[in-house]
Amino acid sequence: MSDVEALIGTHNVVFFDSPSCPYCRKAEAALRQADIEFTKVPIDPYRAALKDMTGKTSAPSVWIKGTYVGGCNDGTEPWHGVLPMLANGKFKEFLGA
């Protein structure tokens, strides 16, 4: 198991972050406003592994219970993205809340 897989597998919500990314700040603020706990990790050491797993290297890269759910507004599936998933209830549904 790789380091990135271990991180994703041991936390309910993992937020791969880039400090200068405005989308990261927006997604992080939305998660905090929704009172969702998450583990924030710098994305740079994991970009190559994340690209292998998702085809994307952009930040944020958000995972819920081992499932990739995209970035701030979108991802690799039509239902992906922190903001849309918070708005439609899918984020908490994935958490089992």
Side-chain angles (χ1 to χ4, degrees):
M1 180 181 295
S2 71
D3 290 346
V4 73
E5 289 170 323
L7 270 170
I8 291 165
T10 56
H11 301 283
N12 282 340
V13 179
V14 180
F15 186 104
F16 289 95
D17 178 64
S18 179
S20 62
C21 168
Y23 293 105
C24 294
R25 302 293 66 80
K26 194 171 184 178
E28 181 178 4
L31 290 173
R32 290 191 191 286
Q33 186 175 359
D35 290 324
I36 293 174
E37 292 183 25
F38 57 94
T39 300
K40 188 161 77 166
V41 179
I43 196 170
D44 285 338
Y46 302 102
R47 279 191 200 267
L50 291 169
K51 183 176 184 180
D52 289 344
M53 296 170 76
T54 67
K56 296 180 99 35
T57 60
S58 56
S61 180
V62 182
W63 298 71
I64 304 172
K65 293 189 173 182
T67 300
Y68 175 65
V69 297
C72 182
N73 298 304
D74 57 13
T76 56
E77 299 291 335
W79 53 269
H80 276 179
V82 169
L83 299 184
M85 289 182 72
L86 286 171
N88 66 22
K90 272 196 179 290
F91 207 101
K92 288 191 176 182
E93 184 181 310
F94 266 69
L95 281 171

